[in-house]
C-alpha cells in the first residue's frame, strides 16, 4: 500500500504542488493543433495542471497560451478579439501578443508608457506532430522537446480525449498487462485467434511472470507467458517521466506509438495518443472506431469528450455481459477505451491507495510509483532536475510483444528492438494478431 502523504504527493498537480512543479519542468501537450484550426481562429479555454489558460493562434499562425484573466481588471481573455497579431480584451481594449507583451492600451493617454510595464503571463508554445506543446516551467530557455518518434516522424498524428479521474490512476491502467485478458478479452477464446499469433498466447494463459527494470526515463516491464514450443511470449511496456506510456499491444520493433496522460487538474485528465502508421489505439476487434463524441462546448471541461461517461454507466449492456462471449462479452461495455475508463473512474477522483492490496503482478505499478516519489522528492527537497528534462533521447523507446527462446534474458535480447528510429523490415506486424 501507499502512505496517504505519498499518495497526495504524486497525484496533486496544481500550481505550487511538488508534482505540479516537477511536471512544469517538462514540455507538456496543451491542445491539438486542430483545436486552433487557422490564424485568428476562436480562443480556446484550456485547463492545464490546475491553471486556467487561453489558447489562441495569432495572425501569423503562431500558437500562444495566456493567463485567463486580463492583467488590467481580470476579465477573461476568452472573450477577447483575436486580431492583427494579438488577443485583445474586449473590456478596455488591452491587447497581448503570444509572448504576453502588451501591444496596445487604447484607454490610456497617448503619452503614457504604462503599456511597457504590463505583461500577461504567457507560456512558450511550439508545434510538432499535430500537438501544440507548452513549457510552464521556470527556465528562461526551455529544454528540448522529448524525442518521441510517434510525434517526430513524418506521418505523425495525434488525437486526444478527456476522462474524469486523476491522471495517475488512469496512467496505471496502461502499465498493468494482466487486466487485459479479463477486462478487454475475457469474452474471447484463444482457439478463435490466428494460430501462432500473440493474440492466441495472450489468451491461453492469463497469469504472467513479471520482471521490472529502471530505464533512463522511467520504468519498463517484461511479462512472460508460455509461447510456441521452445519459446516464451513476452509483452514489454514502458513508462517515461512524467506521464508517458508505451503500451504492449503490437510487435516490438515495429510499433511506433505512445500515450500521454496529461492532468487538466487533480480530477480530470486529457489523454493524448501519438501514432505513426499502424492502427489507432483502441481500434481492435472490439471497437472498430472510438465511441461517439459529444459536441465540444466552451467551458473548462468542454473539450474532447465521449458520449459514454460515468453519468450513463458507460452504456453497460448487462444482457451482453451475461453471455460472457464475443466483443465486450465479459464486461458488457463494447469499447476498450471505455472499459478502462469505467474501471479507473469508478475508483473515485483520487483513490485512497492505503486501502489497496497489491500482488506480484502489480510490480510495474509499484516501481513506477517509487520512481515518481523519488523524482518528486529529489526535485522538491534538493532541486534535482528530473530525468529526461535535459535528455530528449531518453524517450527514444518502443514497446510491444516478442517471442524469445526459453531462458533468454529479455532485457539483452530486446535491447535493439526497444530502440526507436530503427527500422526492422524483417519483422511481420501481423504476428500480433487482432488483439
Amino acid at each position: 500500500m501507499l502512505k496517504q502523504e505519498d499518495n497526495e504527493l504524486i497525484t496533486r498537480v496544481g500550481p505550487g504542488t511538488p508534482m505540479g512543479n516537477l511536471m512544469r519542468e517538462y514540455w507538456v501537450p496543451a491542445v491539438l493543433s486542430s483545436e486552433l484550426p487557422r490564424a485568428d481562429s476562436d480562443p480556446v479555454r484550456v485547463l492545464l495542471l490546475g491553471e486556467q489558460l487561453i489558447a489562441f493562434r495569432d495572425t501569423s499562425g503562431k500558437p500562444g497560451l495566456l493567463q485567463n484573466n486580463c492583467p488590467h481588471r481580470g476579465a477573461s481573455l476568452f472573450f477577447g478579439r483575436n486580431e492583427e497579431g494579438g488577443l485583445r480584451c474586449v473590456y478596455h481594449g488591452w491587447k497581448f501578443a503570444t509572448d504576453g507583451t502588451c501591444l496596445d492600451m487604447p484607454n490610456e493617454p497617448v503619452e503614457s508608457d504604462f503599456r511597457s510595464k504590463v505583461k500577461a503571463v504567457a507560456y512558450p508554445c511550439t508545434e510538432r506532430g499535430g500537438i501544440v506543446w507548452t513549457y510552464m516551467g521556470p527556465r528562461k530557455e526551455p529544454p528540448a522537446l522529448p524525442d518521441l518518434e510517434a510525434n517526430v516522424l513524418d506521418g505523425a498524428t495525434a488525437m486526444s480525449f478527456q476522462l474524469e479521474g486523476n491522471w495517475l490512476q488512469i496512467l496505471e491502467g496502461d502499465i498493468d498487462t494482466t487486466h487485459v485478458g479479463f477486462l478487454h478479452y475475457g469474452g474471447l477464446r484463444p482457439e478463435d485467434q490466428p494460430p501462432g499469433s500473440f493474440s492466441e498466447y495472450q489468451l491461453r494463459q492469463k497469469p504472467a511472470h513479471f520482471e521490472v527494470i529502471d530505464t533512463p526515463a522511467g520504468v519498463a516491464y517484461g511479462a512472460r507467458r508460455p509461447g510456441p514450443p521452445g519459446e516464451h511470449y513476452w509483452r514489454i511496456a514502458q513508462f517515461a517521466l512524467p506521464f508517458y506510456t508505451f503500451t504492449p499491444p503490437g510487435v516490438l520493433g515495429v510499433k511506433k506509438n505512445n500515450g500521454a496522460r496529461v492532468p487538466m487538474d487533480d480530477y480530470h485528465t486529457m489523454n493524448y495518443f501519438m501514432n505513426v502508421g499502424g492502427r489507432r489505439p483502441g481500434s481492435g476487434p472490439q471497437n472498430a472506431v472510438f465511441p461517439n463524441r459529444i459536441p465540444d462546448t466552451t467551458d473548462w471541461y468542454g473539450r474532447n469528450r465521449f458520449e459514454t461517461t460515468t453519468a450513463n454507466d458507460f452504456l453497460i449492456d448487462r444482457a451482453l455481459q451475461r453471455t460472457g462471449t464475443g466483443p465486450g462479452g465479459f464486461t458488457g461495455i463494447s469499447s476498450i477505451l471505455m472499459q478502462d475508463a469505467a474501471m479507473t473512474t469508478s475508483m473515485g477522483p483520487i483513490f485512497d491507495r492505503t486501502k489497496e492490496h497489491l500482488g506480484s503482478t502489480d510490480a510495474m505499478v509499484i516501481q513506477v510509483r517509487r520512481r515518481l516519489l523519488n523524482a518528486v522528492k529529489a526535485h522538491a527537497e534538493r532541486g534535482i532536475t528530473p530525468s529526461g528534462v535535459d535528455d530528449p533521447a531518453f524517450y527514444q523507446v518502443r514497446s510491444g510483444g516478442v517471442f524469445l527462446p526459453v531462458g533468454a534474458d529479455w532485457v539483452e535480447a530486446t535491447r535493439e528492438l526497444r530502440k526507436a528510429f530503427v527500422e526492422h523490415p524483417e519483422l511481420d506486424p501481423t504476428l500480433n494478431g487482432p488483439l
Side-chain angles (χ1 to χ4, degrees), residues 54-129:
I54 303 299
F56 72 107
R57 191 184 295 279
D58 72 9
T59 307
S60 70
K62 183 179 180 180
L65 198 64
L66 299 179
Q67 65 184 72
N68 173 52
N69 300 108
C70 177
H72 181 208
R73 298 260 297 279
S76 174
L77 291 174
F78 169 76
F79 296 102
R81 294 172 60 93
N82 190 3
E83 60 182 18
E84 299 176 348
L87 192 60
R88 186 185 296 277
C89 180
V90 296
Y91 199 7
H92 297 93
W94 290 20
K95 182 178 177 180
F96 299 92
T98 56
D99 67 355
T101 299
C102 187
L103 301 173
D104 192 20
M105 198 174 279
N107 69 327
E108 285 291 305
V110 175
E111 63 274 14
S112 172
D113 66 347
F114 190 39
R115 176 172 64 85
S116 64
K117 300 177 181 179
V118 175
K119 191 169 185 178
V121 174
Y123 294 120
C125 292
T126 190
E127 284 186 271
R128 193 181 69 183

Side-chain angles (χ1 to χ4, degrees), residues 13-316:
V13 297
T17 62
M19 182 56 72
N21 290 342
L22 180 139
M23 287 189 175
R24 285 165 173 80
E25 293 282 349
Y26 298 85
W27 282 93
V28 179
V31 295
L32 295 176
S33 296
S34 59
E35 295 182 85
L36 304 175
R38 60 192 175 277
D40 292 332
S41 56
D42 296 345
V44 175
R45 285 189 176 103
V46 174
L47 188 60
L48 187 58
L49 302 183
E51 291 191 44
Q52 294 183 344
L53 304 166
I54 303 299
F56 72 107
R57 191 184 295 279
D58 72 9
T59 307
S60 70
K62 183 179 180 180
L65 198 64
L66 299 179
Q67 65 184 72
N68 173 52
N69 300 108
C70 177
H72 181 208
R73 298 260 297 279
S76 174
L77 291 174
F78 169 76
F79 296 102
R81 294 172 60 93
N82 190 3
E83 60 182 18
E84 299 176 348
L87 192 60
R88 186 185 296 277
C89 180
V90 296
Y91 199 7
H92 297 93
W94 290 20
K95 182 178 177 180
F96 299 92
T98 56
D99 67 355
T101 299
C102 187
L103 301 173
D104 192 20
M105 198 174 279
N107 69 327
E108 285 291 305
V110 175
E111 63 274 14
S112 172
D113 66 347
F114 190 39
R115 176 172 64 85
S116 64
K117 300 177 181 179
V118 175
K119 191 169 185 178
V121 174
Y123 294 120
C125 292
T126 190
E127 284 186 271
R128 193 181 69 183
I131 293 174
V132 175
W133 297 78
T134 191
Y135 177 71
M136 303 170 69
R139 299 186 184 189
K140 291 183 178 179
E141 291 295 327
L145 285 169
D147 210 2
L148 299 159
E149 70 173 340
N151 184 245
V152 170
L153 293 176
D154 290 343
T157 61
M159 61 84 64
S160 66
F161 60 92
Q162 182 184 156
L163 291 176
E164 298 173 62
N166 183 258
W167 72 278
L168 184 58
Q169 65 196 47
I170 293 172
L171 182 146
E172 287 178 347
D174 290 346
I175 57 176
D176 166 22
T177 193
T178 60
H179 83 272
V180 174
F182 299 94
L183 182 68
H184 301 321
Y185 304 138
L188 303 178
R189 303 186 305 171
E191 54 267 30
D192 294 332
Q193 307 306 309
S197 67
F198 294 166
S199 297
E200 177 190 3
Y201 291 103
Q202 179 178 308
L203 292 175
R204 285 206 178 280
Q205 183 172 321
K206 292 184 173 67
H209 168 76
F210 265 80
E211 295 182 16
V212 177
I213 61 170
D214 283 331
T215 65
V219 186
Y221 74 71
R224 188 189 72 206
R225 293 178 173 86
E231 294 184 312
H232 281 138
Y233 165 47
W234 287 88
R235 281 170 64 88
I236 294 164
Q238 310 219 29
F239 159 79
L241 287 161
F243 42 53
Y244 298 104
T245 57
F246 304 76
T247 54
V251 175
L252 183 65
V254 174
K255 182 175 103 144
K256 304 170 185 175
N257 64 31
N258 69 269
R261 306 297 191 175
V262 181
M264 299 172 67
D265 57 18
D266 292 341
Y267 309 123
H268 300 81
T269 304
M270 192 64 72
N271 307 269
Y272 292 84
F273 282 141
M274 308 171 204
N275 188 52
V276 174
R279 71 190 189 196
R280 296 188 307 172
S283 59
Q286 287 194 348
N287 51 345
V289 296
F290 283 92
N292 292 329
R293 292 177 182 256
I294 61 175
D296 282 355
T297 60
T298 57
D299 63 275
W300 295 109
Y301 300 104
R303 300 166 41 233
N304 304 327
R305 296 170 299 168
F306 295 126
E307 68 176 9
T308 311
T309 68
T310 55
N312 54 31
D313 293 322
F314 295 91
L315 301 178
I316 187 169

